[in-house]
Amino acid sequence: MKKSEVFNKYANCISPAKAGFFLQSGLDFVFGKREGAFIWDMEDNKTLINCHSNGGVFNLGHRNPLVISALEEALKTLDIGNHHFVSQQKANLAEKLATLCPGDLNHVIFGVSGGEAIDLAIKISRKATGRKKIICIEGGYHGHTGLALAAGAPKFSKPFLSDSEDFIAVPFNSLSAMNSAFSKDVAAVILEPIPATAGILIPEETYLKGVKEICEANHSLFIADEVQTGLGRTGKFWCVEYDSIVPDILVTGKGLSGGIYPITATILREGLQWVFQEDPFLHISTFGGADIGCIVAEKVLELSSDLVFLENVRSISEFLHKGLRNLIQKYSKLMPSYHAKGMMMGLKMVSPELGPFMSKACYEAGLLCIYSGNDPSVVQFLPPLIIDKQIASEILLRLDSALQFLGNFLSHNRV
């Protein structure tokens, strides 16, 4: 099949608007071969280094051979299983997750998507507290399902009439705003330790601890959405480890799949599991924690929790940060700063208009990067965590070319 046929079929059967957007933007890329940090166009063999990683799905690269091998072995004897019954694979994976979580986060409920896992976290917080209101972050993002959608930015919730007065949005990094939003009706605070879609915002030193203390004082729960920040992305296995805090509920996903089999987990602290004591079938997920998916995720945890792996993430992060600082000196009129913790990075452009143009410039230079949906001035920069210094150097070279391309484009065009 030719690429033009793929676009026609996509437009006719899926989304004419999306197909049209990519064609009009000159981003007519269709994933063909993919391996490690690289993806190839299906037709013209254009190669990109994936520095978006689908929000952390490809932490271990595309088609990681060890993850593929685990899936192949599982397929010899297993299938999805039955979500109603006790499962050895679910039990093993849950135990592994619990050992890797801080404090008494011991109880795991599996899902398929991040939105589903967030919905469950909010449902549990409401049942556990008998309260309904949820405090969230302005410009935050937690998925596109019901409660997750309401907890995100109005940009996504309002078109579907999913915005709700029960969800109170406050600015990130403002403890005073957080404190002012509290009342006896607040069930929980939900936030990403580093809000990605809001522009890779880095928490101030005392912020997350302060949020947890406010929650405790109000007998409300603290939900940490580590769907993007978890599994080594920031240089520690969980981002909350930097602040030595234990959330009441921690949500993980994306990278847990290894890019191979979708699986998420909502992890509860000791004492919250009672919400399902009377009726353990009160929440179910047909495909959540599928037996073959658990095998994949267990291999992901083994690889991404390895101390040598995490040390390499921190080492490569420092190398990339140094390179970014050099590029800022060279192109300060385009990119005056960057936000980063580990390999969760955001390139801050001088204006919101430049984010989309920078994404296009990166594409032309051989990098896949996408600007933040709720702050277009920031280009998300999340390469796979398995890269070495050679690939990191190539990324910096291509980023240099992208900035040069953008500068030349702007000098000849008015934006």
Side-chain angles (χ1 to χ4, degrees):
M1 186 182 292
K2 292 183 178 180
K3 189 160 65 171
S4 59
E5 293 177 275
V6 174
F7 267 92
N8 285 336
K9 187 175 290 189
Y10 193 99
N12 291 335
C13 302
I14 301 177
S15 172
K18 190 178 287 187
F21 168 82
F22 284 112
L23 288 172
Q24 291 165 16
S25 302
L27 302 170
D28 59 336
F29 190 92
V30 177
F31 276 52
K33 178 184 175 184
R34 68 288 304 261
E35 182 178 342
F38 297 89
I39 50 177
W40 286 261
D41 183 77
M42 66 167 287
E43 191 170 88
D44 60 19
N45 216 36
K46 180 178 177 66
T47 308
L48 301 175
I49 300 177
N50 193 344
C51 289
H52 176 247
S53 295
N54 208 1
V57 168
F58 298 107
N59 283 348
L60 299 179
H62 289 273
R63 296 185 55 78
N64 184 289
L66 295 175
V67 177
I68 292 287
S69 178
L71 176 62
E72 289 174 340
E73 189 63 28
L75 285 170
K76 291 178 181 179
T77 57
L78 299 175
D79 53 21
I80 286 171
N82 189 308
H83 63 286
H84 287 297
F85 287 85
V86 171
S87 158
Q88 176 184 342
Q89 290 73 33
K90 279 187 176 71
N92 288 341
L93 178 59
E95 182 181 55
K96 180 66 173 176
L97 272 168
T99 62
L100 290 170
C101 282
D104 60 348
L105 286 161
N106 296 329
H107 298 271
V108 182
I109 305 169
F110 295 111
V112 178
S113 75
E116 176 188 352
I118 293 294
D119 276 7
L120 175 59
I122 293 172
K123 289 197 303 185
I124 290 171
S125 70
R126 285 177 163 178
K127 189 175 191 305
T129 63
R131 306 172 183 179
K132 197 171 184 182
K133 292 191 180 297
I134 304 293
I135 297 177
C136 48
I137 297 300
E138 291 179 357
Y141 175 82
H142 301 284
H144 285 278
T145 51
L147 297 174
L149 185 62
K155 170 184 175 181
F156 298 113
S157 61
K158 277 193 173 182
F160 301 104
L161 308 181
S162 295
D163 51 317
S164 168
E165 293 181 355
D166 292 324
F167 290 80
I168 306 161
V170 299
F172 191 68
N173 271 332
S174 173
L175 287 176
S176 60
M178 178 69 69
N179 198 40
S180 296
F182 262 85
S183 70
K184 59 181 177 57
D185 299 319
V186 172
V189 170
I190 182 169
L191 55 76
E192 302 162 273
I194 299 174
T197 308
I200 315 290
L201 304 178
I202 306 302
E204 294 175 357
E205 189 173 343
T206 60
Y207 178 67
L208 294 179
K209 273 190 175 181
V211 172
K212 182 69 164 69
E213 289 170 0
I214 294 171
C215 287
E216 289 176 345
N218 198 61
H219 303 290
S220 303
L221 303 185
F222 178 51
I223 304 170
D225 178 348
E226 292 242 22
V227 169
Q228 291 201 47
T229 55
L231 309 180
R233 171 56 59 182
T234 65
K236 289 184 181 289
F237 194 73
W238 303 114
C239 189
V240 293
E241 292 179 46
Y242 283 100
D243 298 274
S244 300
I245 61 173
V246 180
D248 298 290
I249 304 175
L250 185 148
V251 178
T252 183
K254 288 192 183 290
L256 192 63
S257 70
I260 298 298
Y261 198 98
I263 185 170
T264 60
T266 304
I267 309 167
L268 318 178
R269 67 163 169 77
E270 194 68 39
L272 285 177
Q273 74 278 11
W274 72 265
V275 300
F276 300 113
Q277 191 63 40
E278 286 186 15
D279 184 356
F281 301 99
L282 196 58
H283 172 86
I284 57 175
S285 175
T286 301
F287 300 111
D291 289 351
I292 54 174
C294 287
I295 298 296
V296 167
E298 195 168 356
K299 177 57 69 171
V300 168
L301 293 181
E302 175 190 328
L303 298 174
S304 54
S305 65
D306 182 81
L307 295 180
V308 175
F309 172 84
L310 291 171
E311 178 54 40
N312 184 67
V313 172
R314 291 190 288 269
S315 174
I316 298 299
S317 298
E318 291 175 7
F319 180 81
L320 287 170
H321 293 182
K322 181 179 179 182
L324 289 175
R325 289 192 292 271
N326 291 337
L327 289 173
I328 284 169
Q329 290 183 349
K330 188 175 180 181
Y331 299 102
S332 60
K333 292 183 179 179
L334 297 173
M335 186 178 75
S337 63
Y338 73 98
H339 312 154
K341 188 178 282 290
M343 265 197 254
M344 190 156 188
M345 298 170 281
L347 312 179
K348 179 70 173 177
M349 311 307 293
V350 292
S351 69
E353 292 77 15
L354 285 194
F357 284 99
M358 184 59 181
S359 298
K360 169 67 171 173
C362 285
Y363 175 79
E364 297 298 335
L367 298 175
L368 179 61
C369 301
I370 299 176
Y371 60 90
S372 294
N374 292 333
D375 183 358
S377 70
V378 176
V379 176
Q380 296 179 346
F381 200 62
L382 293 84
L385 304 182
I386 45 90
I387 62 173
D388 55 20
K389 280 194 176 180
Q390 182 177 351
I391 296 177
S393 296
E394 180 62 27
I395 287 172
L396 291 170
L397 284 173
R398 295 188 187 195
L399 187 56
D400 192 330
S401 296
L403 286 161
Q404 186 174 11
F405 177 92
L406 180 61
N408 290 337
F409 173 82
L410 294 176
S411 67
H412 293 93
N413 297 272
R414 180 176 293 180
V415 176

Coordinates of all heavy atoms in Angstrom, one line a residue, residues 302-333:
E302 N 11.5 -4.9 35.8 CA 12.9 -5.5 36.1 C 13.9 -4.6 35.4 O 15.0 -4.3 36.0 CB 12.9 -6.9 35.5 CG 14.3 -7.5 35.6 CD 14.4 -8.8 34.8 OE1 13.4 -9.6 34.7 OE2 15.5 -9.1 34.3
L303 N 13.7 -4.2 34.2 CA 14.7 -3.4 33.4 C 14.8 -2.0 33.9 O 15.9 -1.5 34.1 CB 14.3 -3.4 31.9 CG 14.3 -4.8 31.2 CD1 13.8 -4.6 29.8 CD2 15.7 -5.4 31.2
S304 N 13.7 -1.4 34.2 CA 13.7 0.1 34.5 C 14.0 0.4 36.0 O 14.3 1.5 36.3 CB 12.3 0.7 34.1 OG 11.3 0.1 34.7
S305 N 13.9 -0.6 36.8 CA 14.3 -0.4 38.2 C 15.7 -0.8 38.5 O 16.2 -0.6 39.6 CB 13.4 -1.2 39.1 OG 13.6 -2.6 38.9
D306 N 16.4 -1.3 37.5 CA 17.8 -1.7 37.7 C 18.7 -0.5 38.0 O 18.6 0.6 37.3 CB 18.3 -2.4 36.4 CG 19.8 -2.8 36.5 OD1 20.0 -3.9 37.1 OD2 20.7 -2.1 36.1
L307 N 19.5 -0.6 39.0 CA 20.3 0.6 39.5 C 21.2 1.1 38.4 O 21.5 2.3 38.3 CB 21.0 0.3 40.8 CG 20.2 -0.1 42.0 CD1 21.0 -0.4 43.2 CD2 19.2 1.1 42.3
V308 N 21.8 0.2 37.6 CA 22.7 0.7 36.6 C 21.9 1.4 35.5 O 22.4 2.4 35.0 CB 23.4 -0.6 35.9 CG1 24.3 -0.2 34.7 CG2 24.3 -1.3 37.0
F309 N 20.7 0.9 35.2 CA 19.9 1.6 34.2 C 19.5 3.0 34.7 O 19.7 4.0 33.9 CB 18.6 0.8 34.0 CG 17.5 1.5 33.2 CD1 17.6 1.4 31.8 CD2 16.5 2.2 33.8 CE1 16.6 2.1 31.1 CE2 15.5 2.9 33.1 CZ 15.6 2.8 31.7
L310 N 19.1 3.2 36.0 CA 18.8 4.5 36.5 C 20.0 5.4 36.6 O 19.8 6.6 36.3 CB 18.1 4.3 37.9 CG 16.8 3.7 37.9 CD1 16.3 3.4 39.3 CD2 15.7 4.5 37.2
E311 N 21.1 4.9 36.9 CA 22.3 5.7 36.9 C 22.7 6.2 35.5 O 23.1 7.4 35.3 CB 23.5 4.9 37.5 CG 24.8 5.7 37.5 CD 24.8 7.0 38.2 OE1 24.1 7.1 39.2 OE2 25.4 8.0 37.7
N312 N 22.4 5.4 34.5 CA 22.7 5.8 33.1 C 21.7 6.9 32.7 O 22.1 7.8 32.0 CB 22.5 4.6 32.1 CG 22.8 5.0 30.7 OD1 24.0 5.3 30.4 ND2 21.8 5.0 29.9
V313 N 20.4 6.8 33.2 CA 19.5 7.8 32.9 C 19.9 9.2 33.4 O 19.9 10.2 32.8 CB 18.1 7.5 33.5 CG1 17.1 8.7 33.4 CG2 17.5 6.3 32.8
R314 N 20.4 9.2 34.7 CA 20.9 10.4 35.3 C 22.2 10.9 34.5 O 22.3 12.1 34.3 CB 21.3 10.2 36.8 CG 20.0 9.9 37.6 CD 20.3 9.9 39.1 NE 21.0 8.7 39.5 CZ 20.5 7.6 39.9 NH1 19.2 7.5 40.0 NH2 21.2 6.6 40.3
S315 N 23.1 10.0 34.1 CA 24.3 10.4 33.4 C 24.0 11.1 32.1 O 24.5 12.1 31.7 CB 25.2 9.2 33.3 OG 26.3 9.5 32.5
I316 N 23.1 10.4 31.3 CA 22.8 10.9 30.0 C 22.0 12.2 30.1 O 22.1 13.1 29.3 CB 22.0 9.9 29.2 CG1 22.8 8.6 28.9 CG2 21.5 10.5 27.9 CD1 24.1 8.9 28.1
S317 N 21.2 12.3 31.2 CA 20.4 13.5 31.5 C 21.4 14.7 31.6 O 21.2 15.8 31.1 CB 19.5 13.4 32.7 OG 18.6 12.4 32.6
E318 N 22.4 14.5 32.4 CA 23.4 15.6 32.7 C 24.1 16.0 31.4 O 24.3 17.2 31.1 CB 24.4 15.1 33.7 CG 23.9 15.0 35.1 CD 24.9 14.4 36.1 OE1 26.1 14.3 35.7 OE2 24.5 14.1 37.2
F319 N 24.4 15.0 30.5 CA 25.0 15.3 29.2 C 24.1 16.1 28.4 O 24.5 17.1 27.7 CB 25.3 13.9 28.6 CG 26.0 14.1 27.2 CD1 27.4 14.3 27.1 CD2 25.3 13.9 26.1 CE1 28.0 14.4 25.9 CE2 25.9 14.1 24.8 CZ 27.2 14.3 24.7
L320 N 22.8 15.7 28.3 CA 21.8 16.5 27.5 C 21.6 17.9 28.1 O 21.5 18.8 27.3 CB 20.5 15.7 27.4 CG 20.5 14.4 26.6 CD1 19.2 13.6 26.8 CD2 20.6 14.8 25.1
H321 N 21.5 18.0 29.4 CA 21.3 19.3 30.0 C 22.4 20.3 29.6 O 22.2 21.4 29.3 CB 21.2 19.2 31.5 CG 19.9 18.4 31.9 ND1 19.6 18.3 33.2 CD2 19.0 17.8 31.2 CE1 18.5 17.6 33.3 NE2 18.1 17.3 32.1
K322 N 23.7 19.7 29.7 CA 24.8 20.6 29.3 C 24.7 21.0 27.9 O 25.0 22.2 27.6 CB 26.1 19.8 29.6 CG 27.4 20.6 29.2 CD 28.6 19.8 29.5 CE 29.9 20.6 29.1 NZ 31.1 19.8 29.3
G323 N 24.3 20.1 27.0 CA 24.2 20.4 25.6 C 23.1 21.5 25.4 O 23.2 22.4 24.6
L324 N 22.0 21.3 26.1 CA 20.9 22.3 26.0 C 21.3 23.7 26.5 O 20.9 24.7 25.9 CB 19.7 21.8 26.8 CG 18.9 20.6 26.3 CD1 17.8 20.2 27.2 CD2 18.3 20.9 24.9
R325 N 22.1 23.7 27.5 CA 22.6 25.0 28.0 C 23.5 25.7 26.9 O 23.4 26.9 26.7 CB 23.4 24.9 29.3 CG 22.5 24.5 30.5 CD 23.2 24.7 31.8 NE 24.3 23.7 32.0 CZ 24.1 22.5 32.5 NH1 22.9 22.1 33.0 NH2 25.1 21.6 32.7
N326 N 24.3 24.9 26.3 CA 25.1 25.5 25.2 C 24.2 26.0 24.0 O 24.5 27.1 23.5 CB 26.1 24.4 24.7 CG 27.1 24.0 25.7 OD1 27.5 24.8 26.5 ND2 27.7 22.9 25.5
L327 N 23.2 25.3 23.7 CA 22.3 25.7 22.6 C 21.5 27.0 23.0 O 21.3 27.8 22.2 CB 21.3 24.6 22.3 CG 21.9 23.4 21.6 CD1 20.9 22.2 21.4 CD2 22.5 23.8 20.2
I328 N 21.2 27.1 24.3 CA 20.5 28.3 24.7 C 21.4 29.5 24.6 O 20.9 30.6 24.1 CB 20.1 28.1 26.2 CG1 18.8 27.2 26.3 CG2 19.8 29.5 26.9 CD1 18.5 26.8 27.7
Q329 N 22.7 29.4 24.9 CA 23.6 30.5 24.7 C 23.7 30.9 23.2 O 23.8 32.0 22.8 CB 25.0 30.1 25.2 CG 25.1 30.0 26.7 CD 26.5 29.7 27.1 OE1 27.4 29.3 26.3 NE2 26.8 29.8 28.4
K330 N 23.6 29.9 22.3 CA 23.7 30.1 20.9 C 22.5 30.6 20.3 O 22.5 31.4 19.3 CB 24.1 28.8 20.2 CG 24.5 28.8 18.8 CD 25.0 27.5 18.3 CE 25.4 27.5 16.8 NZ 25.8 26.2 16.3
Y331 N 21.3 30.2 20.8 CA 20.0 30.5 20.2 C 19.1 31.2 21.2 O 17.9 30.9 21.2 CB 19.4 29.3 19.6 CG 20.2 28.6 18.5 CD1 20.9 27.5 18.8 CD2 20.2 29.1 17.2 CE1 21.6 26.8 17.8 CE2 20.9 28.5 16.2 CZ 21.6 27.4 16.5 OH 22.4 26.7 15.5
S332 N 19.6 32.0 22.0 CA 18.8 32.6 23.1 C 17.6 33.4 22.7 O 16.6 33.5 23.4 CB 19.7 33.5 24.1 OG 20.2 34.5 23.3
K333 N 17.7 33.9 21.4 CA 16.5 34.7 20.9 C 15.4 33.8 20.5 O 14.3 34.3 20.2 CB 17.0 35.6 19.7 CG 18.0 36.7 20.2 CD 18.3 37.6 19.0 CE 19.3 38.7 19.5 NZ 19.7 39.6 18.3

